[in-house]
Amino acid sequence: MSSRSTAFDELDRKIITALMANARTSFAEIGTAIGLSATAVKRRVDRLRETGVITGFSATVKPSALGWRTEAYVEVYCEGAAPPRRLAEVVRDYPEIAAAMTVTGGADALLHVRARDVEHFEEVLERIRQEPFIRKTISVMVLSHLLPESPEAGASQPAPEGVV
């Protein structure tokens, strides 16, 4: 978010709720639902984008339609104290990593990995393990999504061609 403080009211919350449910909802439709003109909704959305409350708009796609048929979560354990900045640099080099975060508990980080198949996942895992500061990994394969409409169940990019 920007350093500039801005008021965030109930109308903003309703606009954000509508856009999260369907980012393609028109400003006119949102305005009708919450009692504002389309122009007023647009001004508020522009302000919410400018202040960093809304960070973007995207489509959620069935992962298998994009070539991702295997999914896992990987706990990463580092030698010593690997700074989050260094972990972020490494995970950016893997198009298969859909999300990465530092976590509490025994592991230093948790990676959400998508792959074309189990063999591709194994290749990705081996590349991750070759990073000099990685001590060990523990993987958990996803069998099914219990909340298929959740953002984690969708993909934001297609599987890369020819990834080794």
Side-chain angles (χ1 to χ4, degrees):
M1 299 231 326
S2 76
S3 58
R4 198 169 54 159
S5 180
T6 183
F8 187 84
D9 63 17
E10 190 58 30
L11 289 172
D12 291 332
R13 190 171 312 287
K14 289 177 180 180
I15 291 168
I16 289 170
T17 299
L19 291 172
M20 288 175 68
N22 180 358
R24 295 187 61 165
T25 305
S26 73
F27 296 150
E29 291 172 301
I30 295 170
T32 298
I34 67 172
L36 289 177
S37 69
T39 304
V41 172
K42 182 190 181 316
R43 277 195 305 268
R44 284 175 175 262
V45 169
D46 289 346
R47 178 179 44 79
L48 292 167
R49 291 187 71 193
E50 181 182 304
T51 58
V53 173
I54 295 175
T55 59
F57 300 91
S58 62
T60 303
V61 180
K62 184 176 175 183
S64 62
L66 299 174
W68 301 119
R69 290 182 174 74
T70 299
E71 181 178 9
Y73 285 87
V74 178
E75 291 182 351
V76 175
Y77 297 79
C78 300
E79 289 292 343
R85 184 180 321 114
R86 177 68 182 120
L87 284 166
E89 289 171 5
V90 168
V91 300
R92 281 189 188 102
D93 291 337
Y94 293 86
E96 299 89 353
I97 297 177
M101 58 286 298
T102 55
V103 294
T104 62
D108 294 295
L110 182 65
L111 310 178
H112 181 189
V113 178
R114 294 188 191 277
R116 290 186 309 268
D117 51 35
V118 173
E119 291 79 16
H120 180 204
F121 172 73
E122 187 174 21
E123 292 167 10
V124 172
L125 190 57
E126 287 306 315
R127 283 188 283 142
I128 291 169
R129 288 178 177 161
Q130 288 175 7
E131 295 293 340
F133 59 87
I134 303 295
R135 181 170 49 90
K136 76 173 185 174
T137 62
I138 297 176
S139 304
V140 179
M141 300 294 288
V142 174
L143 299 177
S144 64
H145 284 271
L146 301 177
L147 301 173
E149 66 284 349
S150 71
E152 291 77 15
S156 60
Q157 65 182 35
E161 295 287 328
V163 174
V164 178

